Amino acid sequence: MERDPVCGMTVEPVHATASVEHNGTKYYFCGEGCAKKFLAQPEPYLSSKTPQAKTAQIPFVQLGTPTTTYICPMDPEVRQDHAGPCPKCGMTLEPRSTAPEIENPELEWMAIRLWTCFVLTLPILFLGMEHPISGFERSFSGHAIGWIELALATPVVLWGGAPFFKRGWTSLKSRSANMFTLIALGTGSAYFYSVAAVLFPTAFPGSFRDARGAVPIYFEAAAAITTLVLLGQVLELRARERTSGAVRALLNLSPRTARLVRGDGTEVDIPLGEVAAGDLLRLRPGEKIPVDGVVTDGSSSVDESWVTGEPLPIEKNTGSKVLGGTVNGHGAFLMRAERVGPQTLLAQIVRMVGEAQHSRAPVERLADRVARYFVPAVILVATLTFTVWGLLGPVPRMAYALLNAVAVLIIACPCALGLATPMAIMVGTGRGALAGVLVRNAEALETLEKVDTLVVDKTGTLTEGHPHLSSVWAADGSGEAQVLAIAGSLERPSEHPLGAAILRAAEQQQIPFQDVADFHYRPGKGITAKVDGHPAALGNRALFEELRIPLGEEDARARPLESLGQSVVFVAVDGRPIGLLAVSDPLKAKAAESIKRLRHQGLEIVMLTGDNRRSAQAVAEQLGIERIEAEILPGQKAEVVKRLQAQAHVVAVAGDGVNDAPALAQANVGIAMGTGTDIAIESAGITLLGGDLRGIVRARSLSRATMRNIRQNLFFAFAYNSLGVPIAAGVLYPFFGLMLSPIFASAAMTFSSVSVIANALRLRHIKLDSPA
């Protein structure tokens, strides 16, 4: 399947009408609303997001508006193109779209039902009280009260509780019993029993009658249960809306409009969605940057704290990269848009957070296994409760049997169990996004807590990743300019960070480069080629050993530099060493502090580097790292991870380069520094936006806090049901004469769900910089 070049989304066939053809051409569209026309030969197309195409007079067919996918928070594999309940578990589906204007009609309708049922339930509870007012029963007979309660309870149960009955019936048809199965059975039993008692009181045998010969009715229980369950649903839906607050906060970082500078120099404000790659935009003081791009004229300072975590603004000049959602300071500048729409870093973050929030953690398998047998077990317990009370209970036995069976069905609803993990994952991943920690899926978040070994790549992870040439030494008969000229010529075709430092130094000194032929890059070793027809080599000791070029005085000169943590490369021409170059890559400012805090969290730190052991040891001593793996070739990084895993370690790898991608993929958890390459980010389970080691501390703290929260939720849900079901069944009655009313059972069930939600929402306020 192809990708739309405008927004980067996968282009899919139109589903609304199976296929759309126009003048013999089939049209496709993507989920972001762009349109694309496929022909035998590729040709331009018009998208709703690229208004410039209108001037090209390209025909365009509007294929329809983008659709919103609704997903189940408990069963992410369940997806629909419309709002409503999940056919599997009955939970309300959530919109997958992260657009802030997406409304939740389910919440609105539930709120209307709640307030209507609340008003109707109050008089039912009043009528069901024992002698509430002196002389009340003389004015209204028991039969009349029954008819009044019937009239009031019917809209409450049949209209207010209609969603629960519908979902309960769906669960039976799909053979996937859930909480709504129990609610429908409980409220339905109490209501229809009471209807029969009012309409046909003479049909009931003596076992259903009280001491006065009347058949008890339980309209108040059915109405109160329905109202309390509606209350729980409204509170849950509101809380789940709050869990997406992190995504909305990210979306609000983008401005609604951008100021477009036209070709004739005029300026106009256009909607953000109409900005296209290549457009020239003007940024005024204090404005939010609309899309990712590059400064073409002017200068300013930009607040990038939501990306880097640094409170100080960053200076931007001509050629500097700027990110959408960051805030311009006091200067003004022109920028050229490069990434727009879903291609911007902010849009990718929002998409990643949305996917993570709807992913499933392995710990949910426990809840799934329990839920699979829980509802049938509750129905069995309710049946046994009814039987025991019907045989051994006090008069009226059958009335008490029904009452206690309903209480068991209601109090045992596994909604708290179902919410325990998804709510914590949604809140936790959102909290991480606001702190610059992007979690790709819940499994990575859960595994990170279990990690005992952290493997970090030196260059770009522990160091700044922007090395500079610190010294040049030339052997007898050679000059430093010659050494730098040969090295610069060899590094021109290379993309190695050390090579970039050498090239910058040569260009700054205006040293001319020479012709290079037969270029060969040897990963982890260096470069061989012909410079002006002479065989030349640039690399480490491993390369010179392979080429059998002896290092004499050069090796002695290199050792003191390497002991200072500098990387040394040797230069040879015609099989003879002519000198060396030392390159320094400064440590990141907070690297030592972050390593100390990670060790405090119980992690063993292993540093990987292609440098020689002396240079690696010098860096490790500065950071307090005890274990190093030096002179590692790029292809060997994944092998180091495998070796650690074979020793029963749970390994996380932090890196930022293409060479790190295999190790990131092999690790139990890959952590990509957000300042690195796209392939490293794609290979990782967690991405740190700021590229700062403190992000690993935050990620680890987030993982521990989220998993602790999940365990608390699961414990509460299991403990609640373990205690509540026996009490509802009446185990306390023989000893204390206590029975649990279905109304109180419903209130307890609602409280359990709200408690789990409230506990999960605490994750929004956790401090992720804590060393513990």
Side-chain angles (χ1 to χ4, degrees), residues 88-130:
K88 184 175 180 180
C89 70
M91 296 285 286
T92 301
L93 299 179
E94 297 179 341
R96 181 64 180 273
S97 170
T98 51
E101 62 272 10
I102 293 292
E103 296 182 353
N104 190 345
E106 186 78 9
L107 174 58
E108 182 179 346
W109 267 108
M110 283 290 183
I112 293 174
R113 291 176 190 271
L114 169 62
W115 286 110
T116 304
C117 292
F118 176 75
V119 171
L120 294 175
T121 300
L122 285 179
I124 299 175
L125 294 175
F126 176 79
L127 292 172
M129 295 171 65
E130 295 254 352

Side-chain angles (χ1 to χ4, degrees), residues 577-634:
I578 65 170
L580 60 82
L581 303 97
V583 178
S584 298
D585 189 2
L587 295 174
K588 290 185 175 179
K590 300 291 183 179
E593 176 190 343
S594 300
I595 292 296
K596 180 179 178 181
R597 295 171 74 173
L598 288 167
R599 293 181 62 187
H600 182 74
Q601 289 184 350
L603 293 179
E604 180 183 8
I605 312 298
V606 180
M607 184 180 77
L608 289 186
T609 179
D611 286 348
N612 63 79
R613 181 162 292 275
R614 278 184 296 275
S615 297
Q617 189 65 46
V619 173
E621 289 176 357
Q622 295 180 60
L623 296 174
I625 297 176
E626 297 178 355
R627 185 169 179 178
I628 61 174
E629 295 280 347
E631 301 176 16
I632 296 294
L633 298 178

Side-chain angles (χ1 to χ4, degrees), residues 134-274:
S134 178
F136 180 82
E137 289 191 348
R138 290 196 296 271
S139 302
F140 293 91
S141 66
H143 194 61
I145 291 175
W147 279 99
I148 295 173
E149 290 188 13
L150 172 60
L152 293 171
T154 296
V156 173
V157 176
L158 298 186
W159 175 76
F164 310 141
F165 286 107
K166 182 179 179 180
R167 296 174 188 184
W169 175 246
T170 301
S171 70
L172 293 177
K173 289 196 300 182
S174 63
R175 297 181 181 179
S176 180
N178 53 50
M179 59 176 283
F180 295 106
T181 311
L182 302 182
I183 292 172
L185 287 174
T187 56
S189 299
Y191 173 76
F192 289 109
Y193 159 81
S194 301
V195 170
V198 171
L199 297 179
F200 312 106
T202 58
F204 285 82
S207 59
F208 283 89
R209 300 180 182 276
D210 58 22
R212 294 174 298 177
V215 180
I217 55 176
Y218 300 112
F219 285 120
E220 71 275 13
I225 291 170
T226 301
T227 303
L228 286 168
V229 174
L230 284 170
L231 173 63
Q233 289 290 293
V234 169
L235 292 175
E236 177 189 325
L237 289 169
R238 289 192 186 280
R240 278 158 58 182
E241 275 200 339
R242 292 171 67 186
T243 63
S244 60
V247 173
R248 286 196 296 272
L250 290 171
L251 286 167
N252 290 334
L253 292 172
S254 290
R256 298 290 183 183
T257 61
R259 192 161 189 80
L260 175 68
V261 180
R262 292 172 171 167
D264 58 3
T266 59
E267 300 180 4
V268 61
D269 289 333
I270 61 173
L272 182 63
E274 294 184 7

Side-chain angles (χ1 to χ4, degrees), residues 69-90:
T69 300
Y70 291 83
I71 189 169
C72 177
M74 287 179 58
D75 300 285
E77 68 275 8
V78 177
R79 302 177 181 222
Q80 295 179 175
D81 59 359
H82 59 277
C86 171
K88 184 175 180 180
C89 70

Side-chain angles (χ1 to χ4, degrees), residues 381-393:
V381 171
T383 303
L384 292 175
T385 299
F386 182 87
T387 303
V388 172
W389 277 87
L391 295 174
L392 306 176

Side-chain angles (χ1 to χ4, degrees), residues 172-452:
L172 293 177
K173 289 196 300 182
S174 63
R175 297 181 181 179
S176 180
N178 53 50
M179 59 176 283
F180 295 106
T181 311
L182 302 182
I183 292 172
L185 287 174
T187 56
S189 299
Y191 173 76
F192 289 109
Y193 159 81
S194 301
V195 170
V198 171
L199 297 179
F200 312 106
T202 58
F204 285 82
S207 59
F208 283 89
R209 300 180 182 276
D210 58 22
R212 294 174 298 177
V215 180
I217 55 176
Y218 300 112
F219 285 120
E220 71 275 13
I225 291 170
T226 301
T227 303
L228 286 168
V229 174
L230 284 170
L231 173 63
Q233 289 290 293
V234 169
L235 292 175
E236 177 189 325
L237 289 169
R238 289 192 186 280
R240 278 158 58 182
E241 275 200 339
R242 292 171 67 186
T243 63
S244 60
V247 173
R248 286 196 296 272
L250 290 171
L251 286 167
N252 290 334
L253 292 172
S254 290
R256 298 290 183 183
T257 61
R259 192 161 189 80
L260 175 68
V261 180
R262 292 172 171 167
D264 58 3
T266 59
E267 300 180 4
V268 61
D269 289 333
I270 61 173
L272 182 63
E274 294 184 7
V275 177
D279 282 349
L280 199 61
L281 308 175
R282 181 174 298 281
L283 269 297
R284 293 167 290 193
E287 291 184 333
K288 293 180 179 178
I289 297 174
V291 296
D292 298 354
V294 61
V295 177
T296 59
D297 184 44
S299 63
S300 183
S301 58
V302 176
D303 179 1
E304 296 185 344
S305 56
W306 76 266
V307 177
T308 64
E310 294 295 337
L312 296 178
I314 300 174
E315 293 296 323
K316 300 291 183 180
N317 300 293
T318 302
S320 299
K321 298 284 187 179
V322 289
L323 298 173
T326 55
V327 182
N328 182 28
H330 298 293
F333 59 87
L334 289 175
M335 64 169 287
R336 183 177 65 253
E338 291 187 339
R339 293 188 180 186
V340 300
Q343 294 177 322
T344 64
L345 175 64
L346 179 58
Q348 293 178 44
I349 291 171
V350 170
R351 183 167 63 248
M352 185 181 293
V353 172
E355 291 173 352
Q357 287 186 330
H358 293 103
S359 62
R360 291 173 63 85
V363 71
E364 288 189 71
R365 296 169 188 158
L366 172 63
D368 290 343
R369 287 195 297 268
V370 172
R372 189 178 302 122
Y373 304 104
F374 186 79
V375 174
V378 170
I379 295 174
L380 177 61
V381 171
T383 303
L384 292 175
T385 299
F386 182 87
T387 303
V388 172
W389 277 87
L391 295 174
L392 306 176
V395 176
R397 290 188 179 88
M398 299 306 294
Y400 280 123
L402 177 64
L403 202 65
N404 286 282
V406 169
V408 169
L409 291 172
I410 297 301
I411 202 170
C413 286
C415 46
L417 181 63
L419 289 170
T421 300
M423 287 296 297
I425 293 296
M426 291 181 69
V427 180
T429 52
R431 174 67 183 92
L434 294 179
V437 178
L438 299 185
V439 180
R440 180 171 294 279
N441 53 57
E443 182 176 0
L445 192 64
E446 178 178 340
T447 305
L448 185 59
E449 185 205 29
K450 304 172 184 175
V451 167
D452 56 31

